[in-house]
Amino acid sequence: MIDAVSFENNTLGYLDQRLLPLKEEYVRTKDYRQAIAAIKTLAVRGAPLIGIVAGYTVILGLKSYSGSKEEFPHYFGNLIEEVEASRPTAVNLFFATARMKEVYDAHFAADPLEELFAKMLVAARKIHTDEIANCDNMARHGAALIKQDLAETLKTRKLNVLTHCNTGTLATGGSGTALGVIKHAWKEGLIEKVITAESRPLLQGLRLTAWELEKENIPFISISDSSSAFLMQKGMIDFGIVGADRIAANGDTANKIGTFAHAVSASVYNVPYYIAAPVSTIDITINNGSQIPIEERSADELRTIFGTQVGTPTTPVLNYAFDVTPHQYIRGIVTDKKAVVGNYSEELKRLVD
Ligand code: MRU
């Protein structure tokens, strides 16, 4: 069992994902600034897991507070701001801080700080347990949709599925979003092989998804991101399924850079391409993908490969961490409540309400 994140005795525990698959190092900290740094540096990553860790990070921040009740609102405001500044794209982070603010708004006036903190811890734990349950629900809805959409192919053979980045236990604490669907479909005998795109530049597909699949004994093969169109042309991919960092009200979806390129190829070759994400990843407050803030990361993530300089230090670099796949390219969005196929503007709103 992979233990991606834990919170016991006021201590956050997490597997440092930067070191995987070569080293499994479990970090424990009571320092909320170290937890923020873990989110920033992708020691923990993946939209639902970022949300879970953000909730616990707020708790660590509360536990280190030693001032008066009068001074607390100022401290709390700064703490939330610091947590929210860690990564901009995954909406789950803001979903988690919003939950903490709701508890604060409802109970600050009446409760002593200790009681308020205890209620916030309950809320943080609920984000964690909800995301685990969400994964199981997505897995069922997703496998059912695939069975239905690809019924003709399934009459004669099992399916080869493309996925991008890492959307499994490491990204969610549960079985996963897209990878949870794949694991479930594998158990149901629908999957021949998983094709994991490496996911440049930090290689979440090659390092993390491969690591998870190996542990589960699910057959897989890793490819470079730029191979997917060729594999589709050769009929080697039956469907694609990826996760999401933020889904706009119209279904446009931000996910790891490279996701959109696979979607364009899939549309050329009529390969169904799905998104799997919990309802907590839907941002109904924005109309379309052009309004999703896209994180730009350091140039050195491209100019170096895991510490080795491969481009000159002065090479100009544009390093977007995510792209946006317009909803027209998405065959279906699998959520924990149900799988939605088309008509996203109405259906997603209904899910969030
Ligand atoms: O930069 P990362 O590794 O946090 O990006 C993660 C992704 O893009 C995932 O596909 C997404 O968060 C969905 S995780 C279930």
Side-chain angles (χ1 to χ4, degrees), residues 108-150:
F108 174 71
D111 283 1
L113 287 184
E114 217 162 282
E115 263 175 54
L116 176 69
F117 295 176
K119 283 178 182 155
M120 286 192 176
L121 178 57
V122 171
R125 286 207 189 283
K126 184 160 164 34
I127 294 170
H128 192 170
T129 50
D130 281 356
E131 290 299 6
I132 293 171
N134 289 342
C135 289
D136 295 338
N137 292 328
M138 266 179 281
R140 279 188 298 106
H141 296 315
L145 178 61
I146 286 152
K147 218 188 275 181
Q148 180 190 307
D149 274 5
L150 291 139

Side-chain angles (χ1 to χ4, degrees), residues 51 54-55 58 76 80-81 83-84 91-106 120 123-124 127 280 285:
V58 172
F76 183 66
I80 294 288
E81 248 177 54
V83 175
E84 288 184 342
V91 77
N92 305 59
L93 186 148
F94 302 91
F95 172 85
T97 52
R99 282 287 152 90
M100 298 319 226
K101 284 187 268 187
E102 272 166 33
V103 178
Y104 170 87
D105 289 341
M120 286 192 176
I127 294 170
S280 56
T285 66

